[in-house]
Amino acid sequence: MSATDVILAYLDIWNERDAAARLTLMKSVLTEDSLYADPDHAALRGHAELSEAIGRTRENLGDLRFTLDTVVGAHHDRALFSWKLGTVATGYDVVEFAGDRIRSIVGFFT
């Protein structure tokens, strides 16, 4: 699985409204002890904490979907990519891989 494939699967997690389906996706994309941080969240650890935050976020997003803009670069088990949220927001994420899953995500909004 390429870095781009894993990133696309990660964005699918953010687009999933159903909590049970989201947790299933998380198990295949994120490590159990994954860490997530962005300007709104200092440090969410594990599937449950991130899924709860995504659920709250999804309630405010309506039909808006996250899409991959560009994989800026990937090296040494890390990647930098840009994303779009419909036409209303953009950002960058840095991910760290553990094999074919993501161990950590640090997001930036633009």
Side-chain angles (χ1 to χ4, degrees):
M1 188 176 265
S2 73
T4 300
D5 292 334
V6 177
I7 291 166
L8 288 168
Y10 165 70
L11 292 175
D12 287 343
I13 292 169
W14 277 91
N15 290 322
E16 180 57 57
R17 292 178 174 281
D18 180 75
R22 189 168 49 244
L23 282 171
T24 298
L25 286 171
M26 286 180 157
K27 290 177 183 178
S28 66
V29 177
L30 305 173
T31 62
E32 280 291 321
D33 63 343
S34 59
L35 178 66
Y36 177 86
D38 70 18
D40 294 333
H41 302 93
L44 301 174
R45 174 115 11 224
H47 299 168
E49 286 184 14
L50 180 56
S51 182
E52 185 177 313
I54 291 172
R56 285 191 308 271
T57 300
R58 289 284 351 144
E59 290 174 7
N60 298 320
L61 295 180
D63 292 333
L64 292 173
R65 295 185 54 79
F66 288 92
T67 58
L68 178 62
D69 185 29
T70 304
V71 176
V72 177
H75 64 81
H76 299 97
D77 298 327
R78 288 170 181 77
L80 169 64
F81 68 93
S82 59
W83 50 263
K84 294 179 180 179
L85 176 59
T87 59
V88 299
T90 60
Y92 290 89
D93 283 7
V94 176
V95 294
E96 178 185 7
F97 299 102
D100 61 354
R101 293 193 298 163
I102 296 173
R103 176 186 331 217
S104 70
I105 306 107
V106 179
F108 299 87
F109 307 151
T110 55

